[in-house]
Amino acid sequence: MVPTEKRPKVKIAKPFNDEAIEKSVISILRSGMLVQGEFVKQFESRLSEYIGCRHVVAVNSGTAALQVGLQAATVPKKSGGGEVITSPLSFAATANAAIANGLTPVFADVDPETFNIDPSEIEEKISSKTVALEPVDVYGLPADLQKIKELASKNKLPVIEDAAEAIGARSQGKRIGNISDVSCFSTYATKNLHTGEGGFITTNSDSIAEKIRMVRNQGQASRYNQKTMGYNFRMLEICAAIGLEQLDQLDELNQKRREHAKALTEGLGDLESLGFQRVDDPSSHAWYMFSLILDEKQAGISRDKLVQKLKDEGVEADVSWPTPIHLQPFYRETFDYKEGDFPVAEKISQMIFQLPIQPFLSDEEVQRVIATVKSILSSS
Ligand SMILES: Cc1ncc(COP(=O)(O)O)c(C=O)c1O
């Protein structure tokens, strides 16, 4: 047996790379055509085939995707601004994108079992100031999009979905990216499909897609012909080439994640101090992250200590997210949020942690994760 300190780490993320990618990147560098050219076009068209949607627009981050998506699909109130209803249990980018558009993020608490935004909480927050609903597919599990869509239609609101973590996930028999008015994906290095940094937006609306394309490129309808407010959110050719190479393998890679998640659920299912994200249909989940909650009292160890001990043993556990967005210093100061405002999201943030399920883990490594968790919890 290899001593613990000599064994390689069980990594929580391993960005895809292969010889074909390396070749493409070198050929792009030598070509001199570095930004938003043929590779980006091909990446967009292959993604739209994969997802089954009319339009895909590539940008240079998931944050940019959300910012552009919100700008293109919302109509601000005549008095200026408006409110976007979203989840407090997400990455700050979700809410920051609303603020970047002069809109106010309004949070609705999450479901304690799925960790996704609770439609009944959304309903309570809808008012004459609301301009959009922005659900998040947390850790790759689609939000309750059917109910959210119904609420949106009833109130004539667009749904701008934060699908940053959900490429390859499904809902209502369709792929994520083909359901909401606009869906925004991240292709950051750790994501199921990555481009280093990057992201893309999907929509079936021709007019929204046209606006998105303009906003991505300084608001220009054509060269030096600016029709709306815009930015430089263009994607690099090398990023598109990295992403393109992964598309054929994405379903297979996601299937590996699913198998690892199944093994972890079965292997750890008998530990009473652990709880799992409720997933009614495992094949609908993109399994970006495998999330658990720890009952610290029952376990006799704090969540943070457990995560540290796992890391010490070479198992890269993580906490995503230790603080809900409304309790980030900026949000507390700007919007007067305080503890107790969204109790379910706050409780989950205190209990949640993640274990590695990335597709390049071997079965032995997955078993090592299970054995290490069990050994730490049994000695606590
Ligand atoms: C839920 C969520 N929203 C938005 C983003 C922002 O994406 P990016 O980091 O590509 O800007 C992320 C990425 O980490 C995310 O996980």
Side-chain angles (χ1 to χ4, degrees), residues 61-63 66 90-91 93-94 136 162 164-165 186 188 191 198 321:
S61 72
T63 308
L66 287 166
S90 185
F91 187 48
T94 308
V136 181
D162 182 341
E165 305 185 342
S186 165
Y188 174 65
K191 296 292 192 285
W321 299 272

Side-chain angles (χ1 to χ4, degrees), residues 60-66 89-95 134 136-139 162-165 184-191 196-199 288-289 320-321:
N60 50 22
S61 72
T63 308
L66 287 166
L89 189 70
S90 185
F91 187 48
T94 308
E134 190 194 11
V136 181
D137 305 319
V138 82
Y139 312 126
D162 182 341
E165 305 185 342
C184 306
F185 294 81
S186 165
T187 52
Y188 174 65
T190 60
K191 296 292 192 285
E197 289 278 12
Y288 170 54
M289 284 185 182
S320 209
W321 299 272

Side-chain angles (χ1 to χ4, degrees), residues 73 132-135 145 148-149 152 157-161 180-183:
L133 307 184
E134 190 194 11
L145 296 175
I148 292 168
K149 237 180 146 177
L157 294 168
V159 179
I160 291 95
E161 182 183 348
S180 299
D181 298 288
V182 170
S183 305

